[in-house]
Amino acid sequence: MAQYTLTVNGQARSVEADPTMPLLWVLRDLLELTGTKYSCGIGQCGTCTVHLNGSPIRSCSFPVSAAAGQPITTIEGLSAHGDHPVQAAWQEGDVPQCGYCQAGQIMSATALLATTPHPTDDEIDAGMSGNICRCGTYQRIKAAIHLAAAKGGAK
Amino acid sequence: MSPATTTLDRRSFLKLSTAVGGGLLIGFRWGQAAPPSNAAAFQPNAFLSIAPSGKVTLLNQNPEIGQGIKTAFPMIIGEELDVAWKDVIIEQAPLDTDQYERQVAGGSGAIRSTYPTLREAGASARALLVTAAAKKWGVKAADCTTANSTVTHTPTGKTLTYGELATAAAKLPLPDSVRLKDSSQFTLLGTRVRGTDVPKIVTGQQRYGIDTKMPGMLYGAITNPPEHGQKLGKVNDSAALRVPGVVKIVSWPDKVAVLATNTYAAFQGQAALQIEWKSPRIRESSARLSAAFADAIKNGAGDTKRKVGNVERALQNAERVIEATYEVPFLPHAPMEPINMYADVKADSAYLLGPMQTPANARRDAARILGLPEDKITTEMTRIGGGFGRRLKTDFVEDAVHASKLAGAPVNIVWKREEDMINGGFRPAGLYHYRAGIDAKGQLTAWHLQSASVTSRGAVVPNNFPNGAVPNFQVDIHHVRTDVSTGAWRSPNHNVCAYLDQSFLEEVGHALGKEPLAFRLELLRQAETAPFGKVDYAPARMRGVLEAAAKMANWGQPPAGRFQGISSHFSHHSYVAQVAEVSVTDGRIKVHKVYCAVDCGQVINLSSAENQCEGGVVDGIGCAWFGDMPIVDGASAHTNFNSYRLIRMNEAPEVETQFLDTGYPPTGLGEPALPPASAAAANAIFAATGVRIRNLPFVHTDLKT
């Protein structure tokens, strides 16, 4: 066990954890930020995606010891009032079915738009194919990303 | 649909018959509303309440699993109530079988079965509000209209809001009868309404079962047998107990639960368990099952599920016999939210909270395990992160109950992804042998399907098209026993049989030189005008969706480089036809687009309905394209998404959906768009390559020729 200070959504948070504990479980069980979800646990489905230094990572496979001292953004911290253009586009497009994968989808989409503000369909496919949606809402996700891009989603 | 007047009996627990929805007997528990939290609130039934402040709360009784019921059910109440939708608050009701019927997510039956009840709930409340307003004004109720949570006296233009009327309405007796709207008067049903929980989902505020945190709660990792049919032997938990955070380890038949202060510690403890598993005499394998299926069809007696005419004689007399054998694999459900459940078992009561598709079964099974009466068990549903049939079972509820009881603490259990991929219960694997007889005039005179599967029911849909269009028609099933557990998988039996029937039908049509759409329409005309045997689907409605899909897709004239395939299927009382546009380049499949025409009667929420069709098509094509779960040496060959392949965005087709306005009451939609999709794609692949894929998944067939 070791002590770590994490910067999560702009706040310094202190946790005592096994150095190998994936960031996912630190967020969910120790900090009770449950917006980030567990699904495969091996970095294959994208459901647990968060931003570390602004880049998307799979928190299920990223040890807490490697995350300390760097800014972490989760779905809860993406915007102050849930009004990030990507979140707004997801609402406008009524994207979710079960909704369980959508936090990861949104974190991947915001990261994509940060580097590619106006992506083509192929660029969206390339940027988002690491995220599985078992309900099959891909068409709506793609449309929402285009909508967010049109509204300046790269912020 | 014509307006219907229903007579309401004021006594509670009365079953009443209604003209709505084809004269079904509807149980409606009038007067059994939950105790009012605010005495002045208007709570005429268990489905809604209106506070004097004007706050309107609509309750959703069923589990929300992504099918959109938490929005659709309140929309039905709200339509008849004439409520201002933007001000409505929607809440999830707990399991309460005294108040509600069929609190189930499964079988695409919720809307169809509960539609009349919900309409009456809204309409009767509206009637009381109108009566209250009419009394207050001293006018005739017939001169009042409602809209946007407001009653208007039409001659004078006077208005009162529902909030202003709530206290007075609460004192009125229930009406003897209510008039339901004609569907032409609908202002909410059939429109696009955003899902109730979407704002919470996109901000990470939505709680799922796996997010449950309670004081004193332990996290429990469940270990199941790693191979099918194994039994629990000795457990050495000394290493597991040394893992920091592990609190307790408990076991019961064929399960071990590691209980810890966080999920990671529970998983680490689970990995440190040393368990002896006792294997069955035969370690199951897909190879053994395939051989057993073939043997059963060749030599078994079988069980006839449907018989029209005399298939054997017709085949003997046939000019040509076309035969084909198809095989389908096991499929896991793989919902994105892993299996989890919260239970807090006390000496004389228990509390259950979690993602259940069948909460009443969960309560029943918990009561049995604990030896408690069901009324001592409180059961609440969380929003469910997908199920596809997986959470119809209550095995995980039993796990939570056992673990909490044995640990003497509240427990949230979780199955690692791998545990569910091995032990979640699969869509049954099966082998299917078809024979079709063609007479000298080129007519289809015989259709014989023999199935061999791991379920006693045969995993067939024996009464579907082209039944009714063929003079000699027979379906036989053979049952092969296995240790591999199976379960209902989205659109059970239909998900396989639509693929099989619609592929083999195409093989027959091709052999006869018939154009695929014309061949189907010809058979449907036969089933409609001069059917053979009993026909359980409506041929005219099937024709309607086929013609609509063909029109949408510009059938027969695909874009350059693309090939079309068509398919249709009747399931859950709904009709769906699809045209897939496919290209195959160097053996690589690309499904560009799927046109989807649907007759599900009245559409409730257009946005959600389209979403179900888009997802159903993607699921149907994805699982047929990639889905496979071989059993090797007793174990599941794939245990996670690194090797079990689910369809991803770059592979998903665009889907365009059209709902036919046929005037029928609403029928199922969570499942019906899935079954026809795989055959539409396979028929298009045949058009592109000349290769008929008879073994699923598609990726097992080499198309590089």
Side-chain angles (χ1 to χ4, degrees):
Chain A
M1 294 295 233
Q3 199 75 26
Y4 297 98
T5 300
L6 303 175
T7 309
V8 183
N9 301 328
Q11 289 186 317
R13 306 289 297 265
S14 227
V15 294
E16 192 183 304
D18 182 319
T20 64
M21 184 186 277
L23 181 59
L24 171 68
W25 300 116
V26 174
L27 293 170
R28 288 182 51 80
D29 292 354
L30 306 189
L31 300 178
E32 300 202 354
L33 288 168
T34 55
T36 304
K37 303 298 191 217
Y38 162 62
S39 188
C40 76
I42 58 168
Q44 292 289 317
C45 72
T47 304
C48 65
T49 303
V50 300
H51 296 173
L52 185 76
N53 283 326
S55 296
I57 60 159
R58 307 301 189 219
S59 66
C60 75
S61 308
F62 201 94
V64 61
S65 52
Q70 302 171 72
I72 298 159
T73 305
T74 71
I75 186 72
E76 292 95 339
L78 193 59
S79 62
H81 306 288
D83 54 357
H84 185 286
V86 173
Q87 290 171 313
W90 245 249
Q91 292 208 44
E92 191 173 333
D94 192 27
V95 171
Q97 284 186 35
C98 86
Y100 191 80
C101 75
Q102 299 294 350
Q105 302 277 2
I106 289 170
M107 298 311 284
S108 290
T110 51
L112 169 70
L113 290 173
T115 55
T116 315
H118 296 282
T120 63
D121 278 350
D122 286 346
E123 285 168 333
I124 294 174
D125 280 349
M128 298 298 294
S129 58
N131 288 72
I132 294 172
C133 173
R134 182 71 183 78
C135 300
T137 64
Y138 297 123
Q139 176 168 327
R140 290 183 178 219
I141 291 171
K142 192 177 285 187
I145 292 172
H146 282 305
L147 182 63
K151 293 188 175 179
K155 85 168 188 188
Chain B
M1 216 182 317
S2 59
T5 302
T6 60
T7 302
L8 309 174
D9 193 302
R10 283 169 212 163
R11 284 171 304 158
S12 45
F13 299 108
L14 184 88
K15 300 255 180 190
L16 65 95
S17 179
T18 164
V20 184
L24 294 169
L25 192 70
I26 302 300
F28 200 97
R29 273 90 161 140
W30 292 100
Q32 287 295 301
S37 50
N38 175 346
F42 173 50
Q43 293 178 302
N45 52 54
F47 298 91
L48 67 101
S49 76
I50 301 174
S53 65
K55 180 179 136 183
V56 178
T57 305
L58 303 181
L59 281 100
N60 167 49
Q61 65 173 67
N62 277 22
E64 171 61 65
I65 195 165
Q67 83 280 44
I69 209 71
K70 196 175 171 185
T71 312
F73 269 8
M75 282 176 73
I76 298 168
I77 304 166
E79 175 67 65
E80 293 288 350
L81 185 58
D82 275 337
V83 77
W85 183 258
K86 63 177 174 49
D87 301 329
V88 161
I89 290 165
I90 294 170
E91 289 179 3
Q92 177 69 49
L95 176 68
D96 187 341
T97 45
D98 290 337
Q99 302 273 15
Y100 306 111
E101 299 212 321
R102 201 189 180 282
Q103 289 182 275
V104 170
S108 294
I111 298 277
R112 189 175 72 91
S113 61
T114 314
Y115 185 62
T117 307
L118 298 174
R119 294 181 74 191
E120 288 160 19
S124 60
R126 175 191 167 276
L128 292 178
L129 292 159
V130 169
T131 303
K135 274 193 170 176
K136 203 159 192 169
W137 290 323
V139 302
K140 281 188 285 184
D143 288 338
C144 298
T145 58
T146 51
N148 284 316
S149 301
T150 302
V151 181
T152 301
H153 181 237
T154 316
T156 60
K158 282 186 290 198
T159 62
L160 282 166
T161 65
Y162 286 0
E164 290 166 333
L165 292 164
T167 307
K171 293 176 186 139
L172 295 173
L174 281 162
D176 290 324
S177 66
V178 288
R179 195 170 177 79
L180 301 179
K181 290 181 181 178
D182 183 273
S183 58
S184 64
Q185 298 170 292
F186 288 164
T187 56
L188 190 56
L189 296 190
T191 65
R192 287 189 177 83
V193 171
R194 188 182 67 202
T196 303
D197 290 333
V198 170
K200 281 189 284 182
I201 290 168
V202 303
T203 51
Q205 303 305 314
Q206 177 62 48
R207 290 296 181 114
Y208 293 81
I210 203 167
D211 302 327
T212 300
K213 311 281 178 196
M214 298 283 193
M217 182 191 95
L218 295 173
Y219 296 80
I222 301 293
T223 299
N224 299 276
E227 292 181 21
H228 302 283
Q230 284 182 323
K231 301 286 180 195
L232 183 63
K234 274 191 210 142
V235 179
N236 179 344
D237 59 9
S238 54
L241 282 166
R242 285 198 298 273
V243 172
V246 170
V247 174
K248 201 174 264 188
I249 294 170
V250 295
S251 68
W252 59 97
D254 307 324
K255 303 263 190 177
V256 182
V258 176
L259 305 170
T261 54
N262 64 74
T263 312
Y264 183 59
F267 285 173
Q268 282 184 305
Q270 181 179 26
L273 286 171
Q274 292 169 299
I275 302 175
E276 285 176 23
W277 295 99
K278 292 183 269 187
S279 291
R281 198 172 52 82
I282 300 170
R283 293 171 95 194
E284 190 57 282
S285 73
S286 292
R288 185 198 79 84
L289 280 170
S290 288
F293 291 153
D295 180 64
I297 288 175
K298 196 171 172 202
N299 303 312
D303 179 16
T304 298
K305 300 296 273 188
R306 193 166 196 93
K307 186 175 167 66
V308 176
N310 187 328
V311 156
E312 285 306 330
R313 195 173 60 206
L315 286 166
Q316 277 161 21
N317 295 338
E319 179 89 357
R320 293 173 68 186
V321 175
I322 300 161
E323 291 191 61
T325 303
Y326 286 71
E327 186 159 17
V328 301
F330 290 112
L331 277 187
H333 299 88
M336 295 310 285
E337 182 188 11
I339 298 308
N340 69 88
M341 185 73 199
Y342 176 83
D344 185 3
V345 174
K346 301 244 172 34
D348 56 358
S349 67
Y351 173 69
L352 307 176
L353 172 69
M356 298 162 280
Q357 287 184 251
T358 57
N361 292 356
R363 183 177 65 183
R364 176 201 66 202
D365 294 343
R368 176 176 45 74
I369 290 167
L370 298 172
L372 289 174
E374 288 196 22
D375 64 7
K376 295 291 179 193
I377 296 171
T378 307
T379 308
E380 290 194 67
M381 294 93 85
T382 50
R383 186 183 180 89
I384 308 174
F388 313 99
R390 172 63 184 90
R391 291 181 237 260
L392 290 166
K393 293 191 180 201
T394 57
D395 54 344
F396 59 97
V397 180
E398 296 188 13
D399 287 353
V401 169
H402 279 294
S404 176
K405 185 185 179 197
L406 291 168
V411 168
N412 200 21
I413 61 100
V414 63
W415 290 30
K416 283 189 86 170
R417 171 64 55 196
E418 291 81 359
E419 293 289 330
D420 190 43
M421 293 290 277
I422 298 168
N423 283 288
F426 304 137
R427 191 273 306 273
L431 193 74
Y432 296 80
H433 183 71
Y434 282 93
R435 292 187 297 164
I438 313 293
D439 70 7
K441 287 181 240 159
Q443 293 297 307
L444 174 60
T445 54
W447 177 282
H448 189 199
L449 167 62
Q450 292 171 281
S451 86
S453 180
V454 294
T455 77
S456 57
R457 286 165 301 167
V460 292
V461 183
N463 57 350
N464 228 325
F465 178 74
N467 171 52
V470 188
N472 305 285
F473 186 98
Q474 188 167 325
V475 177
D476 300 326
I477 65 166
H478 300 266
H479 179 203
V480 173
R481 289 173 198 284
T482 182
D483 286 325
V484 180
S485 67
T486 58
W489 194 99
R490 192 179 188 181
S491 207
N493 304 337
H494 295 277
N495 66 59
V496 167
C497 293
Y499 175 74
L500 304 167
D501 286 346
Q502 291 288 311
S503 294
F504 184 65
L505 188 71
E506 194 101 338
E507 293 202 56
V508 173
H510 183 74
L512 292 171
K514 305 242 185 187
E515 194 279 325
L517 174 62
F519 184 44
R520 285 172 171 79
L521 296 177
E522 179 189 318
L523 291 170
L524 284 169
R525 206 171 304 120
Q526 179 75 50
E528 186 177 3
T529 57
F532 300 105
K534 185 169 173 282
V535 179
D536 297 315
Y537 58 94
R541 295 180 75 180
M542 180 82 83
R543 185 183 68 228
V545 291
L546 272 167
E547 288 174 340
K551 192 173 176 198
M552 288 169 77
N554 201 14
W555 174 254
Q557 291 169 298
R562 298 185 187 181
F563 297 83
Q564 294 171 320
I566 195 164
S567 170
S568 68
H569 193 71
F570 166 66
S571 73
H572 307 91
H573 304 272
S574 293
Y575 299 79
V576 180
Q578 290 162 1
V579 173
E581 272 180 16
V582 167
S583 62
V584 181
T585 312
D586 300 328
R588 284 198 317 276
I589 299 165
K590 170 86 185 163
V591 185
H592 299 270
K593 183 156 186 178
V594 175
Y595 296 90
C596 179
V598 181
D599 177 0
C600 61
Q602 173 69 45
V603 170
I604 306 299
N605 180 355
L606 182 56
S607 177
S608 175
E610 289 168 336
N611 211 343
Q612 289 305 306
C613 293
E614 290 157 12
V617 167
V618 169
D619 194 4
I621 288 178
C623 287
W625 193 348
F626 306 116
D628 191 17
M629 182 56 88
I631 308 300
V632 181
D633 294 336
S636 299
H638 304 302
T639 60
N640 209 324
F641 301 150
N642 54 338
S643 64
Y644 182 76
R645 194 168 161 194
L646 287 162
I647 190 167
R648 291 172 185 266
M649 183 184 277
N650 58 318
E651 296 144 346
E654 181 190 349
V655 182
E656 185 179 323
T657 304
Q658 184 186 317
F659 295 95
L660 275 60
D661 183 7
T662 52
Y664 288 93
T667 48
L669 199 56
E671 293 164 283
L674 183 147
S678 51
N683 289 338
I685 291 166
F686 177 79
T689 63
V691 176
R692 173 60 56 190
I693 298 178
R694 298 198 186 92
N695 294 329
L696 292 180
F698 297 166
V699 285
H700 286 181
T701 299
D702 185 3
L703 297 171
K704 268 187 224 149
T705 44

